[in-house]
Amino acid sequence: EGSVIFFANHTLAIEPGTKVAEVVLLRVGNLSDEVGADLATVDGTAFAGSSYKASRQRVVFAPNSSSATFSIELLDCPLCVSHRFFVAHVEAVHGNATMGSSSFTRIRLLPEGVWPPG
């Protein structure tokens, strides 16, 4: 029996001035094997090149590890005055694992001076 991979958060709210979004994946079940997941970013109302740096990478869960992190570089967007978002999604899972019920997480970029955040 394998493990199940899922996102720690369905939506991440990122405060202004943050330079890197850390997307955390978790896994449960059989943790004895090394498994991996290929992730990529997809534009929403935030666009690669102006709000964040497009990224595609494989995260690896070492044996007995229950978490892995996908890091996305965020770019300064001084003209952005409203909430924006983009998506990180799992393209493929490798090894003795399956993807949980949601294969994506939404990253919300909050503008300066917005209250309440989110």
Side-chain angles (χ1 to χ4, degrees), residues 19-69:
K19 299 298 182 191
V20 176
E22 301 285 349
V23 177
V24 176
L25 288 103
L26 302 174
R27 74 171 172 157
V28 295
N30 181 356
L31 305 182
S32 62
D33 297 328
E34 178 177 286
V35 300
D38 295 337
L39 286 97
T41 53
V42 177
D43 288 348
T45 55
F47 300 105
S50 62
S51 294
Y52 69 97
K53 185 176 178 184
S55 183
R56 176 173 271 125
Q57 59 185 274
R58 179 173 292 176
V59 297
V60 175
F61 293 86
N64 301 312
S65 174
S66 61
S67 67
T69 302

